[in-house]
Amino acid sequence: MLHSRYEIGTLLGEGTFGKVLDCFDRKTNTYVAVKVIKNVEKYREAAKLEIKVLEKIQQRDRNKRSLCIVLLDWFNHHGHMCLVFEKMGLSVFDFMKDNNYEPYPLEQVKHISYQLVVAVKFLHEMKMSHTDLKPENMLFVNSDCNVTYNTRMKRDEREVKNSEMRLIDFGSATFDHEHHSTVVSTRHYRAPEVILELGWSQPCDMWSIGCIMFELYTGFTLFQTHENREHLAMMERILGTIPSHMAKKSKKTKYFYKGKLDWDERSSAGRYVRENCKALKKYKRGDGESHELFFNLVEHLLDYEPERRLNAKEALNHPFFFGMVSHSSTKQTFTQ
């Protein structure tokens, strides 16, 4: 038992911060997810920050429109901070992994992406950036699925029945007035201004959304790398040349020579990038307007220049999302 109220069941998952347990709440007779943080000072401090952020979100989110996970309770258990959440299904990432990295159907890509933008718009209106958006931090409310057997691939394929989801993990969320650490975001979803140390704010979340949308659509990570220079080379191969004014302003001038990325195409890394990356539009999985609009939106989210990148409100008004139930009361026309 935790806190003489939560009966511990199974382990739902674990990470560097600690574990997530499936527990039965004796007070409400419901199952909940309890995030138990390691008894380590820096994780404890991060948990306190996450609690503060979640409580602020809930104060503002009277109508449960934010699509952010709800914190039900928290307590300290022998030095372990414990956060109690409503119980959800698998993460958008884990579902895809269990499905052999098959991409989501385009209609589900649309619905999942739309909800992500709605949640991020809510945070941005609170003058906050999430800074760690990725498919692991998006949980399906319920990940029950339909299974069909693919005779050609000789394996089962799953399709989630209901693609409703919630955004989680606010441990790195940063308010505009707070200290902005130099490096944020998990590598594959990290915006160019972060890599180049040009300073960042809300647009870095929008870049991450572009990367996530691509991953849901194709089943693989757009920037599969662990190194800055290679990451920048991949961006150039997929999205075109990095603007010279960003290169000049960057403190990371060692990556550039005479305003151009200092990158040897003939090296083994150069070959890897050449063989594994192609221009964005070449990843199209189908014809038709929806696929066109999808890439148009992703292109606008993956604009190198943060001030030119679509913001959350503009993204929601993009034609790719037409037909989705709008959470914004104002409709704006989108110019391509």
Side-chain angles (χ1 to χ4, degrees):
M1 289 289 280
L2 286 170
H3 209 47
S4 58
R5 170 174 173 180
Y6 302 102
E7 208 172 292
I8 300 173
T10 54
L11 177 70
L12 289 174
E14 54 190 315
T16 43
F17 61 86
K19 294 179 163 68
V20 181
L21 306 173
D22 183 12
C23 295
F24 181 69
D25 181 354
R26 285 189 158 177
K27 191 169 167 187
T28 59
N29 287 334
T30 54
Y31 285 93
V32 292
V34 181
K35 185 171 168 180
V36 182
I37 308 295
K38 280 180 188 161
N39 190 353
V40 175
E41 187 59 28
K42 72 168 181 179
Y43 295 132
R44 205 170 25 245
E45 287 311 307
K48 286 177 186 165
L49 284 175
E50 181 166 24
I51 291 165
K52 184 186 82 174
V53 168
L54 286 160
E55 286 180 339
K56 284 198 169 150
I57 291 170
Q58 273 155 246
Q59 279 161 17
R60 281 204 43 162
D61 187 18
R62 295 270 177 256
N63 309 323
K64 301 272 185 287
R65 300 283 287 277
S66 74
L67 303 186
C68 297
I69 192 90
V70 172
L71 179 71
L72 301 172
D73 185 19
W74 63 271
F75 53 91
N76 189 325
H77 179 79
H78 305 301
H80 295 273
M81 296 297 291
C82 297
L83 285 66
V84 183
F85 295 101
E86 44 188 353
K87 192 169 174 238
M88 295 276 144
L90 289 172
S91 75
V92 168
F93 174 78
D94 283 330
F95 187 91
M96 192 160 66
K97 188 176 87 177
D98 292 352
N99 198 26
N100 300 298
Y101 295 99
E102 275 295 310
Y104 286 92
L106 190 57
E107 272 309 302
Q108 293 192 337
V109 172
K110 185 187 288 193
H111 185 222
I112 295 165
S113 307
Y114 181 82
Q115 294 171 90
L116 176 59
V117 181
V118 166
V120 168
K121 176 175 177 276
F122 189 92
L123 301 180
H124 289 182
E125 285 172 350
M126 288 179 67
K127 308 262 185 287
M128 186 199 325
S129 306
H130 184 283
T131 81
D132 197 17
L133 299 174
K134 53 184 174 182
E136 290 91 326
N137 286 340
M138 300 153 64
L139 299 185
F140 284 123
V141 174
N142 182 333
S143 48
D144 289 352
C145 58
N146 295 314
V147 182
T148 48
Y149 184 71
N150 182 329
T151 45
R152 192 173 56 83
M153 301 296 283
K154 294 190 171 49
R155 66 183 185 205
D156 283 341
E157 282 185 359
R158 299 151 195 241
E159 189 174 310
V160 71
K161 289 177 183 174
N162 178 358
S163 49
E164 209 183 315
M165 65 109 210
R166 297 289 180 269
L167 184 58
I168 65 161
D169 200 345
F170 296 85
S172 318
T174 306
F175 285 96
D176 289 0
H177 65 271
E178 292 177 324
H179 167 74
H180 283 39
S181 53
T182 311
V183 180
V184 290
S185 309
T186 299
R187 157 66 68 192
H188 308 120
Y189 310 95
R190 191 174 292 157
E193 65 268 24
V194 178
I195 296 170
L196 299 174
E197 294 185 14
L198 298 171
W200 55 268
S201 61
Q202 278 82 6
C204 81
D205 280 344
M206 302 313 294
W207 175 279
S208 303
I209 292 173
C211 298
I212 291 165
M213 287 181 68
F214 178 91
E215 195 169 326
L216 303 177
Y217 178 88
T218 60
F220 53 85
T221 316
L222 180 56
F223 300 110
Q224 188 58 57
T225 177
H226 296 285
E227 200 273 324
N228 280 341
R229 197 186 303 257
E230 184 174 80
H231 198 162
L232 296 168
M234 287 181 159
M235 286 180 186
E236 291 213 324
R237 179 106 176 126
I238 295 167
L239 304 166
T241 313
I242 293 166
S244 57
H245 70 90
M246 287 178 76
K248 287 194 181 89
K249 252 189 356 202
S250 172
K251 297 182 179 71
K252 297 285 180 185
T253 40
K254 63 176 185 191
Y255 298 144
F256 296 93
Y257 180 70
K258 294 187 173 166
K260 284 195 164 49
L261 185 64
D262 187 8
W263 177 251
D264 182 2
E265 293 233 328
R266 295 178 305 268
S267 65
S268 62
R271 211 163 43 248
Y272 170 76
V273 169
R274 208 166 51 248
E275 287 167 7
N276 288 282
C277 301
K278 52 191 179 185
L280 187 67
K281 285 239 173 98
K282 291 192 173 163
Y283 290 100
K284 250 175 46 175
R285 272 177 39 209
D287 296 318
E289 195 186 21
S290 291
H291 293 271
E292 276 298 324
L293 290 171
F294 171 83
F295 277 95
N296 182 279
L297 173 53
V298 170
E299 235 168 41
H300 279 85
L301 291 168
L302 297 178
D303 195 308
Y304 283 122
E305 306 193 46
E307 57 284 354
R308 286 183 40 185
R309 214 170 285 155
L310 288 189
N311 64 33
K313 185 179 177 186
E314 290 164 340
L316 288 178
N317 289 315
H318 187 280
F320 177 64
F321 290 135
F322 280 5
M324 302 301 294
V325 179
S326 179
H327 280 248
S328 62
S329 50
T330 53
K331 264 277 173 258
Q332 215 185 345
T333 51
F334 181 86
T335 48
Q336 290 193 356

